[in-house]
Amino acid sequence: MREDGKSGRRWVLQFQSAYVLPLARGIYLLIALACLAAVVGGIGYAIYLQVSVGDPPSLVEVPPPYQGAGPVGQMTDSAVDLGLVQSRLEPPTNIRFVVTVGTLSEPPSVGQVLGHFAADTRNGLAPFPDGVSLLGGPDAEFFERVRDGSGKRIAFAARPSLIDELGDALRDIERPTDRVFTIRVVARDRYGVASVPTDISFTLALGPKPTSAAPPSAPERQPTELEVIAREIARAVEPEVNPAHFAVYNAALKVPGRCGTTDSDQTFLANYRRVVEEMRPRLTAANVEAVYLGLCEAWKGALEREAAAREEAEQRQRAAQRSAEEARARAIAHNNELRQRHESRIAEVKAQTMQTLTLIGGAFALFLSVALVLAFLAIEGHSRAVRAAMEAMVRLSEDRQPKTPEGEAS
């Protein structure tokens, strides 16, 4: 019985070692590999989810609000003009003396200002006394530099020698004449840039004393454009000045009112003049009224065409504005939809990422558990192998011992 029990137990252990334990190790190994694959795949899928929502949506450009005109182009050339800078460094040119006194019928008084200097310069002439220097010239002795009334410009005043000179010239003068004076000057701008010495000439007008002062006449009133047109019509219809002439004239003045406009409407007056110039050879007292009626009808048609054109332009503008607003609304709606889809995708990715991380955690925990069981099975298998080896060695040693006489007798 003891031998049979040992053999049965040995058979069970052999069956377990040969079939059960390898099968269990294989199953646990497959489970461990599946868990490891799930962990790696879950990590890759989580990375894919984050990358898929990393880029923002491609939004379309929203058109600007309708402005009624195209946008202002940007400057294509932003380089400064060096000529403007260089012009600030150029010396004064075109130096001249501006005479401010009228025709002299009597010699000027001592110190009387005769005029002032001017020149072409971007910086302006320097104020008195640096703006103009008197170097000489044939008539330099007649003048003296003084400050003009504004206190900035440089002027010339008469010296006693000029008074004597003009006194002799005006003593026996009978008709207006001019006296030319020549001097040499140098001009400087506000920053001290000086011109080359320049000879300039200016003229003083001389004339005899007036015998009697005539009373100033009232300025003649200039006729208006409507009055000129009415006068032309009256001359064309009735050349002789008589009551019929004035009747035609007065009727022509009332034409703007008959056509529904005023005498200040320059567009109507231009058309009025054009009609008169075209119809002048055919104008008579009998058909002038027909011309007025035709003019008013044509003007009314022109106003209606202008109103229609204006209405059409306004409709086109409204259509363009409506089209621009619709395009803008479509672009905004499209962008909002893309943003909403992107935000929904982000929320979905977050939920999927949490599920994936949960799966990764569970698979990793299961992998550790299976790996621990496999380790235990490996230890158990090793222990059984050691125990079987020890039993085999014991049996082998028992088989090699010699049999005793007691054993044989029994």
Side-chain angles (χ1 to χ4, degrees):
M1 291 297 292
R2 185 179 299 173
E3 292 294 333
D4 293 337
K6 290 181 178 180
S7 61
R9 183 170 177 271
R10 186 180 299 111
W11 182 85
V12 172
L13 293 175
Q14 289 177 356
F15 179 78
Q16 182 180 0
S17 300
Y19 298 102
V20 176
L21 291 179
L23 180 60
R25 282 196 296 269
I27 292 174
Y28 280 114
L29 182 60
L30 290 176
I31 294 174
L33 292 176
C35 291
L36 185 61
V39 171
V40 175
I43 293 175
Y45 183 64
I47 295 174
Y48 164 74
L49 291 176
Q50 299 302 317
V51 172
S52 65
V53 296
D55 295 333
S58 299
L59 304 178
V60 298
E61 183 180 359
V62 178
Y66 181 75
Q67 301 294 334
V72 179
Q74 192 177 12
M75 292 179 61
T76 58
D77 186 8
S78 58
V80 299
D81 187 1
L82 295 180
L84 295 177
V85 181
Q86 294 175 356
S87 64
R88 291 287 182 177
L89 303 179
E90 296 295 332
T93 58
N94 191 22
I95 306 170
R96 56 197 180 275
F97 183 76
V98 180
V99 178
T100 58
V101 295
T103 302
L104 297 175
S105 58
E106 294 182 357
S109 60
V110 177
Q112 179 181 351
V113 174
L114 303 177
H116 61 269
F117 285 94
D120 296 338
T121 171
R122 292 288 305 279
N123 301 324
L125 288 177
F128 180 84
D130 300 325
V132 176
S133 297
L134 182 59
L135 301 183
D139 302 312
E141 60 179 353
F142 296 141
F143 305 99
E144 179 182 4
R145 287 187 310 160
V146 295
R147 190 192 309 268
D148 71 346
S150 63
K152 295 181 180 180
R153 294 182 299 188
I154 301 173
F156 262 176
R159 284 184 173 180
S161 56
L162 177 64
I163 297 173
D164 296 338
E165 177 75 14
L166 295 181
D168 295 339
L170 292 171
R171 183 174 297 112
D172 299 327
I173 190 172
E174 296 180 356
R175 64 183 61 183
T177 185
D178 294 332
R179 172 68 163 86
V180 180
F181 298 90
T182 303
I183 56 175
R184 177 177 287 261
V185 296
V186 169
R188 299 180 184 85
D189 63 11
R190 290 183 299 171
Y191 303 104
V193 180
S195 68
V196 297
T198 305
D199 292 332
I200 63 173
S201 299
F202 58 93
T203 302
L204 292 179
L206 306 178
K209 294 181 180 181
T211 56
S212 62
S217 59
E220 183 180 358
R221 188 182 70 87
Q222 296 295 327
T224 63
E225 180 67 14
L226 178 61
E227 292 173 344
V228 173
I229 297 174
R231 186 179 301 169
E232 293 178 1
I233 295 175
R235 289 175 179 173
V237 174
E238 186 61 44
E240 185 178 352
V241 179
N242 52 30
H245 177 90
F246 289 108
V248 174
Y249 176 80
N250 293 328
L253 292 178
K254 298 177 181 179
V255 170
R258 294 176 57 180
C259 295
T261 184
T262 61
D263 55 358
S264 61
D265 190 341
Q266 298 299 323
T267 304
F268 176 80
L269 294 179
N271 286 277
Y272 194 4
R273 171 170 288 281
R274 188 162 62 89
V275 169
V276 171
E277 291 178 353
E278 290 289 335
M279 301 297 176
R280 182 182 299 172
R282 301 169 57 186
L283 280 178
T284 63
N287 64 10
V288 66
E289 185 67 20
V291 172
Y292 295 156
L293 293 176
L295 173 61
C296 291
E297 291 177 356
W299 176 249
K300 183 179 179 181
L303 292 180
E304 291 177 353
R305 289 192 300 273
E306 182 181 359
R310 186 184 301 109
E311 179 64 22
E312 183 180 358
E314 291 177 355
Q315 291 179 356
R316 288 197 300 268
Q317 185 176 5
R318 287 194 295 268
Q321 181 178 2
R322 184 168 54 252
S323 176
E325 292 176 352
E326 290 176 355
R328 179 177 172 82
R330 286 195 301 269
I332 293 176
H334 179 73
N335 291 340
N336 292 337
E337 183 179 0
L338 290 180
R339 293 190 184 97
Q340 186 176 2
R341 288 181 182 177
H342 186 66
E343 293 174 358
S344 301
R345 178 60 179 165
I346 291 177
E348 183 181 355
V349 165
K350 287 182 179 179
Q352 292 180 359
T353 302
M354 292 300 298
Q355 295 175 0
T356 303
L357 293 177
T358 302
L359 178 63
I360 291 173
F364 188 68
L366 183 59
F367 172 77
L368 294 178
S369 302
V370 172
L372 183 61
V373 174
L374 287 175
F376 286 150
L377 290 177
I379 294 174
E380 179 64 21
H382 179 70
S383 300
R384 289 182 181 278
V386 172
R387 185 166 57 251
M390 292 179 65
E391 290 177 355
M393 291 176 64
V394 171
R395 286 195 301 272
L396 183 59
S397 63
E398 289 179 352
D399 292 339
R400 288 181 178 176
Q401 289 181 0
K403 297 181 179 179
T404 61
E406 291 78 11
E408 291 178 358
S410 60

